[in-house]
Amino acid sequence: MRQTERLAADAAGLARAADILRHGGLVAFPTETVYGLGADATNAEAVAGIYAAKERPSFNPLISHLDSFESAKIQGMFDETATRLAEAFWPGPLTLVVPIAPSCTISDLARAGLDSVGLRVPAHPLAHALLQGTGRPVAAPSANRSGRVSPTDADHVLGDLDGRIDAVLDGGAAQVGVESTIVSCLGGTPRLLRPGGVPREAIEALIGEKLGTGAEAAGSSPLAPGMLASHYAPRAQVRLNATSIRPGEAALLFGPSAPQGVEAAQAALNLSKNGDLVEAAAHLFSYLRQLDASGAATIAVSPVPETGLGEAINDRLRRAAAER
Ligand code: TXA
Ligand code: MG
């Protein structure tokens, strides 16, 4: 348990909130849609803390919040359509999924390992001030525990997360109450991934064509939210619950004990030597990527406990093992 501070919507509260975020802490803050649970998006361990606090059983790519379109352009690449959408609807309840820019600093975990990134410039004045003060992209899903409704005031946030986060910036009631509209601009016709605060019609009127759907982007099978086909999958086969390593395999380890045969591994990385699941979550995507790049045909993965963040880690690993 930590002590959750309730911060007032004034200069001192904003300065404290920005300071906590810059030091890797978790701060819930108001946006015009719902309260977000924010962490420094460039700090994978801070982002892992979001999942731990929410008890979210899987890793979805998170939306990173920025103070301006200028800041967003450091993180993502905006084609002509994405630029028009950003100029028309930012600041506001629209999230754009765009390819990452070479200068992107948003962590692998916040992107769930993808080469694209969800970006949004919120209109709420407190959110804007906080983002300016923090000076970094802030990853923020809704500030509720997994499976509960999205919070629209500070009391809702505390009802779910008191003792699990460092602070909530109390800015009164959020206005829109539904999350941002998510549009992906990854080339071709932009696609509506989630309806939300900006109506589809307003977007279609601006771009002069109908939005595609998320399901189309994913192929023929309908998708549950968060089950995007675009989820990062390694090229190598993934072998789960490996208690020994076969010659030539790459090894993704967890915990202090070295499995049999690890000396002959093509490459080996330990998610967390002392068995810390938050640290393990923070390393998951970048280590999978590094082991994949080793060229090994198979990545053998040590057992990871199903407790706490282990559930989300195992969910992601099972999908990596299944997706072909
Ligand atoms: O209104 C909102 O958008 C709120 C407030 C706090 O800003 N935030 C929010 O964030 O709802 P979040 O992180 O829960 O949204 C996650 C969703 C994912 O489930 C996915 O649909 C989409 O954003 N998303 C983010 N990055 C993506 C990417 N690279 N590719 C595809 N979808 C992405
Ligand atoms: Mg939510």
Side-chain angles (χ1 to χ4, degrees), residues 15-319:
R16 174 83 185 125
D19 196 52
I20 293 171
L21 286 173
R22 277 197 303 268
H23 287 89
L26 299 178
V27 178
F29 63 96
T31 80
E32 71 277 31
T33 59
V34 299
Y35 272 65
L37 176 55
D40 176 354
T42 69
N43 177 342
E45 272 197 60
V47 173
I50 291 178
Y51 288 96
K54 283 180 68 93
E55 297 181 352
R56 203 157 165 170
S58 64
F59 297 125
N60 294 327
L62 300 177
I63 296 169
S64 289
H65 298 69
L66 299 135
D67 66 347
S68 65
F69 187 23
E70 289 313 305
S71 302
K73 282 192 267 197
I74 296 169
Q75 305 298 335
M77 295 196 288
F78 290 74
D79 64 13
E80 203 186 309
T81 309
T83 301
R84 286 179 65 194
L85 289 170
E87 284 174 346
F89 296 108
W90 281 354
L94 176 70
T95 295
L96 295 172
V97 173
V98 296
I100 54 173
S103 51
C104 181
T105 55
I106 292 170
S107 62
D108 256 323
L109 185 62
R111 294 182 279 107
L114 299 175
D115 293 326
S116 58
V117 66
L119 301 173
R120 155 161 138 78
V121 178
H124 196 293
L126 278 176
H128 179 77
L130 178 62
L131 292 164
Q132 258 192 336
T134 305
R136 298 189 194 155
V138 172
S142 53
N144 52 285
R145 276 210 236 173
S146 192
R148 310 223 186 142
V149 295
S150 295
T152 49
D153 67 33
D155 288 327
H156 291 173
V157 174
L158 290 171
D160 260 19
L161 298 173
D162 195 14
R164 309 174 70 90
I165 63 176
D166 297 295
V168 55
L169 184 61
D170 188 351
Q175 296 144 13
V176 178
V178 297
E179 277 100 341
S180 60
T181 303
I182 305 180
V183 174
S184 91
C185 298
L186 298 173
T189 303
R191 295 174 192 282
L192 181 67
L193 300 186
R194 179 177 80 184
V198 174
R200 164 203 285 275
E201 293 77 11
I203 295 168
E204 292 178 341
L206 183 89
I207 64 175
E209 64 177 324
K210 293 259 178 233
L211 287 167
T213 64
E216 258 172 71
S220 48
S221 57
L223 290 172
M227 299 278 293
L228 305 162
S230 52
H231 265 318
Y232 170 69
R235 176 202 50 77
Q237 298 287 328
V238 174
R239 187 165 72 81
L240 299 179
N241 296 314
T243 48
S244 64
I245 311 299
R246 299 170 190 156
E249 285 185 332
L252 185 62
L253 309 174
F254 177 83
S257 59
Q260 209 190 358
V262 72
E263 328 70 57
Q266 172 97 353
L269 292 169
N270 198 324
L271 289 169
S272 172
K273 285 205 173 83
N274 39 17
D276 176 347
L277 289 163
V278 174
E279 187 189 5
H283 291 147
L284 180 64
F285 290 100
S286 59
Y287 283 10
L288 271 177
R289 228 175 243 280
Q290 284 179 53
L291 293 176
D292 208 16
S294 76
T298 302
I299 301 172
V301 186
S302 300
V304 175
E306 278 287 350
T307 52
L309 275 189
E311 194 183 352
I313 293 170
N314 282 313
D315 168 80
R316 187 81 277 282
L317 287 170
R318 276 191 291 271
R319 287 199 228 176

